[in-house]
Amino acid sequence: MGGGSEAREQSARLLATCLIAGVVVVAGASLLSFYLSPNASPLGLGLGKWRRKKKKPVRVYMDGCFDMMHYGHCNALRQARALGDQLVVGVVSDAEIIANKGPPVTPLHERMIMVNAVKWVDEVIPDAPYAITEDFMKKLFDEYNIDYIIHGDDPCVLPDGTDAYALAKKAGRYKQIKRTEGVSSTDIVGRMLLCVRERSVSDSHNHSSLQRQFSHGHSQKFEDRGSGTGTRVSHFLPTSRRIVQFSNGKGPGPDAHIVYIDGAFDLFHAGHVEILRIARGLGDFLLVGIHNDLTVSAKRGTHRPIMNLHERSLSVLACRYVDEVIIGAPWEVSKDMITTFNISLVVHGTVAENNEFQKEKDNPYAVPISMGIFKVLESPLDITTTTIIRRIVSNHEAYQKRNEKKNASEKKYYEGKTFVCGD
């Protein structure tokens, strides 16, 4: 009897264990299938919708004049984009710039082309106000779904002396990035004003290009004269990390149709951007050759380029239509170069500083022309680097006053500058 009873108890325990295990397995399988089901989520929502709600993109906003757009502007936009998932950029209107800073060198439609072409920009708002008012800030938060407003560590002071970003800071929706050293629109305008002044004194007294003076530093004499006329001399310190930050980091595929275009790309402007856009549309990969400073000086004169090779390279690299650059490209496009980079097509715009190349004894495009892979592209905009310089020269008194006004705040910033981590 005892043995039979014990056997029955063991059988009962075994049955109970199996039943419990079965429930656990069924329950586990049900729970797994619940989470794997496309129509299920912890809140009873579809998994797709739940994921979208959970991963709402962080949208950040940055505004600016973006006049004479340069690699410093681009680096600011790159840093701003890194603080969120989507970058919305406000471009200040011409009227607002005139009221707060003086006349812009480049009009709004050109500045819009430039900002839209920056690879880190997702959306652009034209005619943005210079100061972020309460109404505009509400519009940013409600209509554009902006999470944070971004600006550099240099102060942006309104004519009445107040902080242009005070409201954003008070709302707790402000984030700061590190200012890019070595360049500003004021500085670039100053370089051209200095260029004009030096030329008017005597070309014979200055045999080296202005670019080399700027890239290698000035004597105290130049520093003092620059400051006295509203022209602050900046020293650009190039690093390999900055080039990596701006680069796409990807090469062409094995069967890619590679388009090549070269030039100085000095004072990178809307005309450059538009011809690069068209060139990129002709292939899978756009390779841009940037001529070195000595080549540009030899072809354009001793006062050119205004921007040095590294500065010009960064401006071009920041353009969304550009895949890769050759820093210091040769003047002539050789057969070896075409083979090395597997170039399928070489192009040149109708609007350029040098359009007499076919008449030259040493035509730089003789080889691609002979190979039947050269094409002249119709330039959408009639703008060259000389166009930009002429704008400055024709209205130099107004820009001189603008620079003198801006120089005071620039000087104050550099005197009180402290290290800002990041970037």
Side-chain angles (χ1 to χ4, degrees), residues 267-336:
L267 300 178
F268 196 62
H269 53 71
H272 290 139
V273 167
E274 286 295 86
I275 198 67
L276 291 174
R277 177 180 60 81
I278 290 175
R280 181 63 176 80
L282 296 176
D284 308 306
F285 192 91
L286 181 61
L287 176 65
V288 180
I290 304 173
H291 299 144
N292 66 34
D293 302 326
L294 290 175
T295 298
V296 178
S297 291
K299 300 294 181 180
R300 305 281 180 266
T302 57
H303 289 84
R304 301 277 286 274
I306 303 296
M307 310 289 284
N308 70 41
L309 176 61
H310 296 288
E311 293 176 307
R312 293 183 284 120
S313 298
L314 289 177
S315 292
V316 174
L317 270 174
C319 182
R320 67 171 73 248
Y321 309 118
V322 176
D323 295 291
E324 181 66 287
V325 303
I326 299 175
I327 302 173
W331 179 252
E332 294 183 12
V333 182
S334 65
K335 179 68 169 66
D336 180 69

Side-chain angles (χ1 to χ4, degrees), residues 112-390:
M112 287 290 293
I113 289 172
M114 297 300 293
V115 175
N116 269 305
V118 176
K119 63 173 70 170
W120 301 287
V121 175
D122 297 291
E123 189 177 338
V124 181
I125 303 173
D127 293 316
Y130 188 79
I132 296 182
T133 62
E134 197 164 348
D135 287 342
F136 186 70
M137 188 167 69
K138 188 175 187 302
K139 184 176 182 179
L140 288 177
F141 295 157
D142 296 345
E143 294 183 26
Y144 290 96
N145 298 314
I146 298 300
D147 295 290
Y148 297 101
I149 293 170
I150 317 293
H151 187 65
D153 62 303
D154 54 318
C156 184
V157 181
L158 299 175
D160 62 3
T162 58
D163 183 357
Y165 295 90
L167 288 173
K169 291 175 181 177
K170 187 177 179 181
R173 306 280 285 273
Y174 176 84
K175 286 190 176 184
Q176 183 174 280
I177 58 168
K178 186 174 182 178
R179 171 178 165 145
T180 303
E181 298 296 328
V183 70
S184 69
S185 297
T186 304
D187 171 64
I188 296 170
V189 170
R191 296 185 195 191
M192 282 181 274
L193 292 174
L194 183 60
C195 172
V196 172
R197 188 170 69 250
E198 285 302 306
R199 187 176 293 156
S200 68
V201 173
S202 174
D203 276 340
S204 64
H205 292 163
N206 183 20
H207 296 291
S208 64
S209 75
L210 263 187
Q211 172 278 317
R212 284 194 290 278
Q213 295 173 31
F214 283 108
S215 61
H216 296 138
H218 292 254
S219 65
Q220 189 61 40
K221 180 181 175 185
F222 273 96
E223 293 279 4
D224 293 341
R225 287 163 61 187
S227 298
T229 56
T231 301
R232 184 188 182 281
V233 174
S234 295
H235 294 167
F236 172 57
L237 303 175
T239 65
S240 58
R241 187 169 66 92
R242 179 71 76 228
I243 294 173
V244 170
Q245 288 171 335
F246 274 51
S247 174
N248 289 346
K250 295 179 181 178
D255 300 319
H257 188 79
I258 299 171
V259 179
Y260 178 75
I261 185 170
D262 62 2
F265 297 98
D266 195 16
L267 300 178
F268 196 62
H269 53 71
H272 290 139
V273 167
E274 286 295 86
I275 198 67
L276 291 174
R277 177 180 60 81
I278 290 175
R280 181 63 176 80
L282 296 176
D284 308 306
F285 192 91
L286 181 61
L287 176 65
V288 180
I290 304 173
H291 299 144
N292 66 34
D293 302 326
L294 290 175
T295 298
V296 178
S297 291
K299 300 294 181 180
R300 305 281 180 266
T302 57
H303 289 84
R304 301 277 286 274
I306 303 296
M307 310 289 284
N308 70 41
L309 176 61
H310 296 288
E311 293 176 307
R312 293 183 284 120
S313 298
L314 289 177
S315 292
V316 174
L317 270 174
C319 182
R320 67 171 73 248
Y321 309 118
V322 176
D323 295 291
E324 181 66 287
V325 303
I326 299 175
I327 302 173
W331 179 252
E332 294 183 12
V333 182
S334 65
K335 179 68 169 66
D336 180 69
M337 181 179 166
I338 291 169
T339 304
T340 298
F341 292 100
N342 195 26
I343 295 169
S344 306
L345 180 67
V346 177
V347 299
H348 187 81
T350 53
V351 175
E353 298 280 350
N354 175 36
N355 267 332
E356 301 297 316
F357 58 87
Q358 301 215 41
K359 299 177 183 178
E360 293 178 4
K361 182 180 178 181
D362 298 318
N363 183 346
Y365 304 109
V367 172
I369 289 172
S370 68
M371 294 173 66
I373 60 169
F374 180 78
K375 185 174 184 179
V376 174
L377 305 181
E378 189 69 33
S379 300
L381 294 177
D382 187 13
I383 303 172
T384 65
T385 299
T386 300
T387 306
I388 305 298
I389 293 174
R390 282 174 180 165

Side-chain angles (χ1 to χ4, degrees), residues 41-82:
S41 77
L43 298 176
L45 300 171
L47 186 60
K49 290 181 180 178
W50 175 63
R51 278 178 177 159
R52 283 197 295 273
K53 279 183 175 293
K54 185 180 178 183
K55 294 185 178 180
K56 174 187 173 293
V58 174
R59 286 169 63 82
V60 297
Y61 173 82
M62 188 172 201
D63 60 15
C65 301
F66 302 104
D67 192 22
M68 300 277 304
M69 193 159 185
H70 49 73
Y71 67 92
H73 290 131
C74 298
N75 193 45
L77 295 173
R78 179 190 65 80
Q79 291 181 79
R81 179 64 168 73

